[in-house]
Amino acid sequence: MQPQKVRKIPQRQCLGCNEHKPKKELLRVVRSPEGEISLDFTGKKSGRGAYICPDLRCLKKARKSRRIDRSLDCTVPDEVYDQMESELAAHE
């Protein structure tokens, strides 16, 4: 019998707190090919993604330092950040 193969768990870094965590524990912020920015709770939307903890503090930290903007190669408007904050608060 061969030993059970250990699966590698993909790790991603939160843009708010800089911690490396398993991909499934983090929330994806995605820029679609059309340029629309939204939260991806499923992790399946197409487009460029960045990861944050599902925590309002991490989103606010990433907003203040503009790390999501840099990661997605675009400027995220304040209205989009406000919408993401309210979505995240409703999802918690």
Side-chain angles (χ1 to χ4, degrees):
M1 283 182 59
Q2 290 185 339
Q4 192 83 25
K5 191 171 185 180
V6 180
R7 292 190 65 118
K8 186 171 174 270
I9 299 168
Q11 298 277 311
R12 297 292 182 266
Q13 185 174 7
C14 172
L15 293 178
C17 63
N18 280 333
E19 283 184 34
H20 286 272
K21 295 183 178 181
K23 188 174 161 182
K24 288 192 187 293
E25 289 180 19
L26 296 172
L27 182 61
R28 188 166 179 248
V29 180
V30 67
R31 185 193 74 208
S32 69
E34 295 80 42
E36 189 179 311
I37 295 154
S38 60
L39 290 178
D40 181 9
F41 292 100
T42 61
K44 302 261 189 268
K45 289 184 183 176
S46 67
R48 180 148 180 89
Y51 292 85
I52 58 165
C53 295
D55 182 5
L56 240 120
R57 290 183 306 232
C58 283
L59 179 60
K60 286 182 178 182
K61 247 191 235 179
R63 178 182 187 171
K64 189 177 177 193
S65 62
R66 293 282 180 195
R67 289 191 65 192
I68 294 175
D69 298 42
R70 277 181 266 143
S71 186
L72 297 179
D73 294 330
C74 67
T75 304
V76 180
D78 285 336
E79 306 87 64
V80 174
Y81 275 119
D82 294 337
Q83 180 188 349
M84 288 193 314
E85 282 181 18
S86 60
E87 273 184 56
L88 192 57
H91 196 265
E92 281 183 339

